[in-house]
Amino acid sequence: MRCELSGSVAQAYLDGELDAQRAVEFEQHLGTCDECAESLESGKALRSSLQAAQLYEPAPVALRARIRTHMRPTARESFVARLVALRWLPATASILLLASVLWLVLPGWREGPRTDVTTGELIDAHIRSLQAGHLTDVASTDQHTVKPWFAGKLDFAPPVHDFANEGFPLLGGRLDVLGGKTVAALVYGRRKHFINVFVWPTQKADTSIHAPASRQGYQYTDWCHEGMEFNAVSDVSASDLRDLAQLFVK
Amino acid sequence: MSGGDQVKGSDALDPGDRERFEQVVLPHLDAAFNLARWLLRGKHDTEDVAQEAILRAVRFFRGFKGGDSRAWVLQIVRNTCYTWMEKNRPLELSAEFDEEVHQLPSDSPEDLAIAGDNRERLVQALEALPPKFREMLVLRELEGCSYKEIATITALPIGTVMSTLARARQRLQRAIRQPAGGRGSS
């Protein structure tokens, strides 16, 4: 004969879905019922088998890119349509004129976030790197292995430091292409997450670290430091990302 | 190619909505793909169906009043998958399998652990289950949804979620214990 609790009640207990009182009652019952104990054990075993098999299938990068291109032009169309419909055209024109004057007059203005690499590209590069086998070309926690690896592959020497003591272990490096040029990608770990820091040379003056912004659930930030432009992307929290960025400019 | 979708999408989202959509919906793209992949049993049509679901979400986004965005997205994905299956694989949905005919003793944890080493076997066992069981296991075990979320996604009462999930697990355990290829008869 089967215990009537050994089915969905035992499993709801396993799933943490029983309310406190019923959970306590079930625990008491569990001590005396072999059948429920067994049901619980086999439920746990099934769960760990499913987890060990890594059955989760994340969305392919191509799909993400397709959805993004689907959304981009449509938003622009409707934005323009709206401006025209609201007869904001003269206002828009004068704002544009003012902006271009400022652009010419204030060179410092141009040193805002990213001019040549788009956020979409950065996030795509980050996602691409997470595909199996793409994260690092040189996997090493030793900065003295990673830094020389870049020599001869790039016409600049990116700064490579391991920040393991600060909670951001260096995992390795790889080459990536952003905005049509080859850049260095440094990969850091943060608990179970990965952070890509893309580095390339720039003429721009040093900037402070921009407040991390978020898109599609990813955080990104950028800064310029000693002739290099840095762009960091990850799914870690904004404050983690800023902490890592600060280590670079220390 | 898919210009039709684009036109339909364009009157759905203004820039502000689009940004909100990117922040609220797109983070669940992996979850959307994973659910579609397991409901449709394979990657072949999954990309198209998942994309269609996301574009539907664009169209319905105005109707989303906040709350559990993952459940909202997965609900649309599930409906899109079922509509697709009705059209393309009607037999799969109508096929009902014999259930609870034989009460099997529970499996020992060791048996399950050994069977679990074999990923291929688990995939086959999971794909052999009817969609209503498969989706329960995917939502609970792979996606980590709560019973309440699963109830929202599947439009079933929580009690039904609880019993269907229990049966789904039982059937999966039974299937992975059987020798490979032994599922064909039912």
Side-chain angles (χ1 to χ4, degrees), chain B residues 60-84:
Chain B
F60 299 151
F61 191 55
R62 284 270 165 78
F64 176 61
K65 300 294 177 210
D68 189 337
S69 54
R70 178 173 66 169
W72 184 78
V73 173
L74 291 181
Q75 200 180 359
I76 296 174
V77 171
R78 178 182 182 270
N79 290 341
T80 311
C81 286
Y82 274 90
T83 309
W84 188 90

Side-chain angles (χ1 to χ4, degrees), chain B residues 40-41 45 84-93:
Chain B
L40 304 180
R41 288 187 309 158
D45 302 295
W84 188 90
M85 284 193 285
E86 272 161 25
K87 212 162 103 189
N88 297 283
R89 300 179 192 159
L91 281 177
E92 190 173 327
L93 287 177

Side-chain angles (χ1 to χ4, degrees), chain B residues 18-184:
Chain B
R18 174 175 160 262
E19 195 174 314
R20 215 177 117 236
F21 184 86
E22 287 197 350
Q23 285 170 359
V24 170
V25 174
L26 288 190
H28 304 304
L29 186 58
D30 283 342
F33 184 83
N34 184 54
L35 177 61
R37 179 259 173 267
W38 286 103
L39 269 178
L40 304 180
R41 288 187 309 158
K43 287 184 178 170
H44 192 60
D45 302 295
T46 300
E47 277 201 40
D48 289 342
V49 178
Q51 178 170 343
E52 195 195 321
I54 295 292
L55 294 178
R56 272 195 205 187
V58 170
R59 265 170 254 150
F60 299 151
F61 191 55
R62 284 270 165 78
F64 176 61
K65 300 294 177 210
D68 189 337
S69 54
R70 178 173 66 169
W72 184 78
V73 173
L74 291 181
Q75 200 180 359
I76 296 174
V77 171
R78 178 182 182 270
N79 290 341
T80 311
C81 286
Y82 274 90
T83 309
W84 188 90
M85 284 193 285
E86 272 161 25
K87 212 162 103 189
N88 297 283
R89 300 179 192 159
L91 281 177
E92 190 173 327
L93 287 177
S94 62
E96 263 310 324
F97 296 69
D98 61 320
E99 284 180 45
E100 335 274 42
V101 180
H102 23 272
Q103 292 280 10
L104 291 169
S106 322
D107 312 300
S108 80
E110 293 77 21
D111 286 350
L112 282 171
I114 291 162
D117 288 340
N118 189 339
R119 182 179 191 272
E120 200 44 45
R121 196 167 170 190
L122 259 180
V123 171
Q124 278 174 13
L126 197 52
E127 290 188 341
L129 293 180
K132 68 169 179 176
F133 293 132
R134 217 184 306 144
E135 66 187 3
M136 290 289 157
L137 290 163
V138 170
L139 291 172
R140 176 62 222 174
E141 299 289 3
L142 303 189
E143 196 52 51
C145 291
S146 67
Y147 287 10
K148 187 164 167 263
E149 284 178 299
I150 299 177
T152 308
I153 296 164
T154 56
L156 293 170
I158 286 203
T160 311
V161 169
M162 211 168 137
S163 58
T164 313
L165 178 61
R167 264 155 66 197
R169 279 177 172 147
Q170 214 173 41
R171 302 223 0 186
L172 184 66
Q173 283 164 340
R174 202 189 300 167
I176 50 185
R177 266 192 352 151
Q178 281 180 351
R183 264 244 40 100

